[in-house]
Amino acid sequence: MDIDDILADVSTAAEPQESRDLQQLTRAWVAERVAPEVLPWPAGLMDRIEGRIRRQIELVEEQTGNMDPKANFRLIVIQTELERFKFLVRSFLRARIAKIDKYAQHYLSLAAQQPTLLAPTELQYLQAHIALLSRHYSTSFLSAFPPSLQRLDDTAGGISMVDGPDLDTVVFCRVLRDVGTVRVEGTDVEMNMRRGDVWVVRWGSIRNAVVERGDIELI
Amino acid sequence: MALPLPPGLTPPEVAFLCEMELVTVIPRQRLESLELLGGPTAALFPPHRSNIPLWLALLLKRQRRANISPPPWLTPTSLSAILEFEIEHSKEAFSPPPRLAPSAGSNNTSPPFLLSATSDAPPEALPYHWLELGEILLEAAPDDFEEPDQVRRLMRDLREVRTAKLRAGVAVLDAGGGVKMNGVGGMEVAEGRAFIGGVIDGLRKIGASREQARREREAEERDNGYAGTAEDDEDEMDL
């Protein structure tokens, strides 16, 4: 660690938690909008942000009666920002629900293995979604089939009928910390990923660097 | 309820991101610091300059409570220098992005939080949100520019040169991906994503069986030859 690193550390530590949360939420939103699969639920971050939004709404409600023009303008600014935050959170959640809807069976089995993947409410939603869907299928036509053909998650013949997202879809990403050489399996592609680079690359080959280490962000 | 949009940010969403960039304003009225959800804003005392998010600056500008000072790269001198570089010296790649501050373990700030649109931003490079930021400022605050028409013309030229590069770059795409695009802008990513992604994914699906065969062969070789790396199968980063 040299002096620049120490200075940089101090400057990020001096940044208020609110600003860091905004940066994290923005990054999570972009990643969720871009990545082909649902990313782990950022529980701590979302709890803090939801709490803050709730308090800010209470503040706006308390102050709406205030007729002082100066306070009024302050309120306009606060409300504008509130709407921006609500948009971010809503778009983030909706992007996740879109993926959960599309590959419901896949995420149901995945959520059982990775409890932190979905938020409790998302899991509830997913279970209700699947229950509705399978009841609908069985009342409308599945019950007329022989019992051996009634399953919705059959893996007979080595082929699973549960569809999952295509993890090799290409994404645009930005390298936040030097990663080194990344090889795309099955091809001749080798990339030397350095901080600040922008790459077009298969999601599967950078997934761990994005999700677990945070060395790369999606754009 | 679920979002009906395909993966990737749409242009309005990129513009929304861009509105988080900090810009420098010259306030005309006092406004004390506000405790916003994203942290406190800078207090405004005329005639001292302050850095505030673009969305707030636009609000103040519309109500004539402040003027926005355009970033140093958004001037005719800088833009023409960058344009010349794009045409003469870098015929295939984009001009390089602004230099990053020295790195540190935890310091991984990225656009739109990089301070690339304030009045002390570097003048010699286009930041990530250059196109959106330029367009928004020219639209909302043309009177804060010295030569808005000149800037507008240079922005259009830059955009044309860079779009041509983006199109020419399609020739190098192949199934494995791995295309380096340093210096690309946010709006350019949004524009090119569907096409570039579509081409690479399409090529991958065409060559999928060959790739699968090779993957199996490589796995086999690893099993036979170097048992040590076999368990790192999933984690390609360390190879």
Side-chain angles (χ1 to χ4, degrees):
Chain A
M1 212 185 223
D2 63 14
I3 184 74
D4 284 331
D5 293 349
I6 294 166
L7 284 177
D9 257 0
V10 171
S11 73
T12 39
E15 235 176 301
Q17 180 73 38
E18 283 89 353
S19 313
R20 271 181 290 158
D21 281 352
L22 171 61
Q23 299 188 9
Q24 275 184 40
L25 176 64
T26 310
R27 192 169 281 168
W29 170 64
V30 175
E32 203 64 67
R33 286 283 288 112
V34 172
E37 61 176 329
V38 172
L39 305 177
W41 173 251
L45 174 71
M46 293 312 284
D47 285 348
R48 287 197 297 275
I49 284 177
E50 279 165 21
R52 263 182 230 135
I53 289 182
R54 204 170 304 128
R55 283 197 293 281
Q56 199 80 322
I57 291 175
E58 279 164 17
L59 180 85
V60 170
E61 282 169 354
E62 274 165 27
Q63 304 220 336
T64 315
N66 198 332
M67 279 302 154
D68 169 30
K70 226 175 176 175
N72 215 339
F73 179 67
R74 276 208 301 273
L75 209 58
I76 291 177
V77 174
I78 289 177
Q79 272 177 311
T80 311
E81 204 234 6
L82 186 61
E83 288 306 318
R84 291 179 62 86
F85 250 80
K86 278 158 77 177
F87 169 80
L88 261 185
V89 171
R90 213 177 286 143
S91 180
F92 176 69
L93 296 178
R94 291 178 69 199
R96 292 174 64 88
I97 288 184
K99 295 180 205 173
I100 294 175
D101 273 354
K102 196 167 178 193
Y103 303 112
Q105 285 285 357
H106 170 76
Y107 284 117
L108 188 66
S109 53
L110 213 61
Q113 297 160 22
Q114 305 172 27
T116 54
L117 182 69
L118 301 180
T121 42
E122 285 174 332
L123 187 61
Q124 228 173 25
Y125 168 83
L126 171 62
Q127 282 159 344
H129 175 102
I130 287 191
L132 276 175
L133 207 63
S134 42
R135 195 162 56 219
H136 169 65
Y137 285 157
S138 74
T139 47
S140 51
F141 62 92
L142 265 187
S143 52
F145 287 5
S148 61
L149 295 180
Q150 282 186 9
R151 291 183 54 182
L152 287 173
D153 52 355
D154 211 344
T155 50
I159 301 166
S160 170
M161 69 182 278
V162 177
D163 245 353
D166 182 356
L167 299 184
D168 276 340
T169 317
V170 289
V171 293
F172 285 68
C173 67
R174 184 188 295 116
V175 184
L176 299 171
R177 274 182 285 242
D178 289 358
V179 171
T181 308
V182 174
R183 225 175 70 85
V184 179
E185 235 172 79
T187 64
D188 297 321
V189 176
E190 264 184 32
M191 297 162 282
N192 183 14
M193 295 195 156
R194 305 186 47 129
R195 178 165 178 259
D197 283 356
V198 171
W199 288 91
V200 185
V201 60
R202 287 189 193 176
W203 165 243
S205 55
I206 56 160
R207 188 183 179 283
N208 287 340
V210 175
V211 177
E212 275 155 36
R213 294 190 286 271
D215 288 344
I216 299 181
E217 71 168 343
L218 298 178
I219 55 174
Chain B
M1 194 140 93
L3 204 63
L5 300 167
L9 297 183
T10 59
E13 286 173 325
V14 177
F16 176 84
L17 261 191
C18 170
E19 282 172 359
M20 296 182 191
E21 288 261 3
L22 289 187
V23 293
T24 305
V25 293
I26 306 136
R28 295 193 194 172
Q29 280 182 8
R30 283 180 63 143
L31 181 71
E32 60 263 54
S33 171
L34 292 170
E35 286 295 327
L36 295 182
L37 292 167
T41 59
L44 304 181
F45 294 110
H48 293 287
R49 294 159 170 260
S50 299
N51 294 340
I52 56 172
L54 178 60
W55 63 265
L56 181 55
L58 292 175
L59 190 71
L60 294 175
K61 172 73 190 170
R62 215 168 296 141
Q63 305 202 347
R64 282 189 221 91
R65 291 173 198 260
N67 288 83
I68 303 174
S69 148
W73 52 265
L74 200 56
T75 54
T77 344
S78 293
L79 288 179
S80 25
I82 298 169
L83 181 64
E84 195 202 312
F85 184 86
E86 292 264 3
I87 296 175
E88 301 292 333
H89 303 287
S90 173
K91 288 202 164 52
E92 275 154 27
F94 297 122
S95 61
R99 272 175 48 112
L100 292 166
S103 130
S106 58
N107 175 20
N108 52 12
T109 321
S110 61
F113 303 103
L114 259 188
L115 291 192
S116 53
T118 53
S119 58
D120 47 7
E124 72 286 339
L126 293 178
Y128 183 63
H129 285 296
W130 70 276
L131 180 60
E132 308 83 289
L133 201 99
E135 294 283 333
I136 292 175
L137 287 186
L138 282 169
E139 169 81 31
D143 51 320
D144 290 338
F145 286 85
E146 277 170 28
E147 299 162 278
D149 292 328
Q150 187 88 3
V151 172
R152 212 168 269 141
R153 196 176 54 78
L154 285 163
M155 287 277 291
R156 202 160 46 225
D157 289 351
L158 266 172
R159 178 156 165 65
E160 272 170 23
V161 172
R162 290 168 62 100
T163 314
K165 285 181 191 176
L166 202 60
R167 289 208 190 106
V170 169
V172 303
L173 298 182
D174 87 325
V179 185
K180 195 170 177 175
M181 294 186 77
N182 286 10
V184 74
M187 208 49 100
E188 288 154 346
V189 170
E191 257 177 0
R193 186 190 317 264
F195 187 74
I196 295 175
V199 170
I200 299 181
D201 285 339
L203 288 171
R204 170 169 59 87
K205 280 170 193 155
I206 292 171
S209 58
R210 197 174 49 211
E211 202 178 295
Q212 182 62 31
R214 174 163 168 184
R215 216 178 281 198
E216 276 162 17
R217 198 175 61 234
E218 276 173 10
E220 212 167 277
E221 276 166 20
R222 246 197 317 261
D223 285 346
N224 299 338
Y226 335 87
T229 55
E231 55 193 57
D232 270 347
D233 217 342
E234 288 304 305
D235 193 355
E236 302 170 11
M237 305 297 142
D238 306 330
L239 291 181

